[in-house]
Amino acid sequence: MQLTVWTYEGPPHVGAMRVATGMTGVHYVLHAPQGDTYADLLFTMIERRDHRPPVTYTTFKERDLGSDTAELFSRAARDAYDRFRPEAMLVGSSCTAELIQDDPGGLMSALNLPIPVVALELPAYQRKENWGAAETFYQLVRGLIGRNDGQTPVGSKDGEKPKANILGATALGFRHRDDVAEITRLLGQLGIEVNVAAPLGASPHDLQRIPQADVNIPLYPEVAGTLARWLKREWKMPQTETIPYGVNATREFVQEVAEICGVDPAPVLDAMPTRLPWWSRSVDSNYLTGKRVFVFGDGTHAIAAARVAQEEMGFEVVGLGTYAREFGREVRAAAQAYGVEALISDDYLEVEAQIAELQPELVLGTQMERHIAKRLGIGCAVISAPVHVQDFPARYSPVMGFEGANVLFDTFVHPLVMGLEEHLLGMFREDFEFHDDARPSHHGPGARVEALEPAPQPAPDAAVPEKQLETAGA
């Protein structure tokens, strides 16, 4: 595990925390040493949540290792239930606590709490954050609804509107909140009701209603893929395969979900309220068409962003990769279609080396690629987690659906040097404030002129000219 350098994903218990934090009525008891409580900052500082995540840490210290840490866990779990009274609890260990093998699941069973308790086995030294979120979501739903005994009705009732589940949105997810709102609105225009959107905003009671839907929409396969496949296999619930990212993919998604639910997609497809197609055609091709772009992120967003960049913006994809090894096969297949070799790596230094070698004109990536591109002097837009605080905007800013396509146009185009800006840069290239060696103007007036050759200064012991002495005396 890369604990001393930048990482694209944290350990799997952070993924479990993203699921718990996005839900209501769930509490997570995490067996962890004092140093593993840093994860709170991810939600309160980066996502700017107005409350702490629903997590209780046992927070054992070095001196506790010589005593009974199992008793410490049991006491913390009992206190958490008495204080928060959740509808369901998750229990597990952090990567460090995993080494002492205290068996949180067995300890919780001994407490006989009157609520569902899901014990998480998250191998921290083999798996990472997205896998942890997917496994947590899957285990929680499976623990609440169980296997299909053949007696439980599946799908909406006769006479009701068709229903869909939107699955995969979590806390700390890239634009998840707005994406769910946009896809909910899109389904409403099709006459499809959202049965459950989970885990973000859902309660354990909501999860129990998942079988009442006619279709599952795994909006983020990194988190929802495992659960969706199980629901399809065990509960015979169909699922969509298309991610509605960009105009073309959104049209395909509308047709797919309409066919499954038996509704007419024509009114929505005819309206298609997005400006991206016309705006892409309206931009002077000298400043848009053929721009070389490198794409990197999680599997879902990297594949989708590359498609939009090439098909809908007229860019040329010269590099494509992901840090999510679970999606390596899909990313390789997508890269092959663009005639490039996929980069599957969670080492940001490898990513930086490839960007430096390719020298694209635009990078679409994560927060890490933003830093890499800035050092290399290349324009960059963030299209995938991990992200920093500026990528959790207060405004409505989805990246999926037809409105999301509008956001994507702005996101992809704004980092580029275009039109009048390029003309002005050429006109003032020799200006003392704007030449290639001048530092950015926002560093202050001193920074803008420091590249100018300083005026010669007389030596300390140099004789003062006679005429200058007369002027001073006067």
Side-chain angles (χ1 to χ4, degrees):
M1 296 182 65
Q2 298 169 303
L3 295 177
T4 58
V5 297
W6 279 0
T7 59
Y8 287 96
E9 295 182 86
H13 73 264
V14 173
M17 201 175 301
R18 287 173 53 191
V19 172
T21 302
M23 297 184 64
T24 61
V26 173
H27 199 83
Y28 185 22
V29 179
L30 185 63
H31 201 22
Q34 192 170 20
D36 278 355
T37 59
Y38 68 91
D40 283 11
L41 294 175
L42 298 174
F43 304 95
T44 56
M45 182 182 72
I46 294 180
E47 195 175 12
R48 293 185 281 205
R49 282 186 167 259
D50 58 357
H51 56 278
R52 289 186 61 248
V55 181
T56 293
Y57 302 92
T58 56
T59 320
F60 59 82
K61 303 176 180 63
E62 182 180 357
R63 64 175 179 269
D64 296 318
L65 297 178
S67 58
D68 190 356
T69 53
E71 173 58 29
L72 181 66
F73 176 86
S74 298
R75 185 167 61 250
R78 169 63 72 178
D79 291 346
Y81 173 75
D82 291 339
R83 178 181 178 185
F84 298 105
R85 295 289 173 173
E87 297 176 40
M89 292 183 74
L90 303 171
V91 296
S93 300
S94 72
C95 44
T96 310
E98 185 181 325
L99 300 174
I100 61 178
Q101 299 181 336
D102 273 339
D103 186 20
L107 295 171
M108 284 296 289
S109 297
L111 295 179
N112 291 319
L113 297 179
I115 59 171
V117 176
V118 177
L120 301 174
E121 296 289 340
L122 305 177
Y125 297 96
Q126 290 82 38
R127 300 290 188 170
K128 293 190 176 182
E129 181 179 328
N130 281 333
W131 184 90
E135 184 68 11
T136 300
F137 190 31
Y138 162 67
Q139 292 291 351
L140 183 57
V141 174
R142 180 172 176 172
L144 290 172
I145 70 175
R147 293 185 176 276
N148 187 1
D149 55 7
Q151 304 299 317
T152 305
V154 178
S156 59
K157 298 178 181 179
D158 292 340
E160 292 183 338
K161 285 185 177 181
K163 297 179 180 179
N165 296 321
I166 301 177
L167 305 177
T170 68
L172 209 66
F174 181 69
R175 308 290 171 86
H176 285 193
R177 175 198 64 195
D178 295 343
D179 283 350
V180 170
E182 182 64 21
I183 300 306
T184 298
R185 183 170 66 177
L186 182 61
L187 293 173
Q189 293 169 347
L190 287 168
I192 300 172
E193 182 181 328
V194 173
N195 179 51
V196 174
L200 188 65
S203 68
H205 176 72
D206 294 329
L207 298 186
Q208 292 176 324
R209 296 189 291 105
I210 281 179
Q212 298 176 14
D214 300 285
V215 61
N216 290 317
I217 301 171
L219 207 56
Y220 309 100
E222 282 82 1
V223 177
T226 302
L227 174 62
R229 288 189 295 271
W230 179 76
L231 290 169
K232 184 177 182 178
R233 183 176 64 253
E234 182 68 26
W235 288 80
K236 305 298 184 285
M237 298 183 68
Q239 69 177 74
T240 57
E241 302 292 340
T242 306
I243 306 300
Y245 188 102
V247 176
N248 293 339
T250 299
R251 289 179 61 88
E252 294 168 9
F253 169 81
V254 168
Q255 292 170 333
E256 183 182 15
V257 74
E259 182 178 354
I260 294 174
C261 294
V263 298
D264 182 11
V268 173
L269 295 178
D270 292 342
M272 201 175 67
T274 178
R275 302 179 186 89
L276 186 148
W278 162 242
W279 284 38
S280 295
R281 292 193 299 269
S282 70
V283 176
D284 190 329
S285 61
N286 291 329
Y287 305 111
L288 190 64
T289 304
K291 292 286 187 181
R292 302 170 71 254
V293 59
F294 177 87
V295 186
F296 193 88
D298 65 35
T300 297
H301 287 89
I303 293 171
R307 180 182 178 184
V308 172
Q310 184 126 333
E311 288 185 6
E312 302 178 25
M313 303 291 291
F315 297 154
E316 178 189 357
V317 175
V318 297
L320 175 62
T322 182
Y323 57 82
R325 297 186 182 276
E326 295 87 353
F327 285 76
R329 180 181 302 175
E330 292 85 347
V331 173
R332 287 189 182 96
Q336 187 176 9
Y338 301 118
V340 301
E341 184 176 351
L343 175 62
I344 313 298
S345 175
D346 59 359
D347 184 347
Y348 72 93
L349 293 175
E350 288 187 35
V351 181
E352 182 172 15
Q354 185 160 109
I355 294 174
E357 179 184 352
L358 293 172
Q359 284 296 306
E361 292 156 286
L362 176 66
V363 173
L364 303 176
T366 73
Q367 175 66 21
M368 296 197 194
E369 282 69 51
R370 188 208 302 270
H371 294 307
I372 291 170
K374 185 178 293 185
R375 285 198 299 274
L376 297 175
I378 301 171
C380 179
V382 173
I383 52 96
S384 166
V387 294
H388 202 22
V389 61
Q390 63 263 49
D391 294 303
F392 289 97
R395 68 186 183 278
Y396 182 65
S397 187
V399 294
M400 293 194 183
F402 289 125
E403 181 59 30
N406 293 334
V407 174
L408 292 179
F409 177 88
D410 294 339
T411 301
F412 289 13
V413 169
H414 286 176
L416 296 172
V417 176
M418 300 172 63
L420 181 60
E421 182 183 8
E422 184 170 326
H423 175 67
L424 292 174
L425 286 173
M427 181 183 297
F428 292 101
R429 191 168 297 281
E430 303 304 322
D431 188 274
F432 77 96
E433 288 187 291
F434 302 110
H435 65 81
D436 290 341
D437 296 326
R439 289 174 59 189
S441 59
H442 64 267
H443 287 174
R448 295 199 297 273
V449 298
E450 68 173 10
L452 294 175
E453 186 174 335
Q457 298 294 325
D461 298 329
V464 180
E466 202 172 297
K467 185 174 182 180
Q468 188 172 338
L469 288 174
E470 292 175 2
T471 303

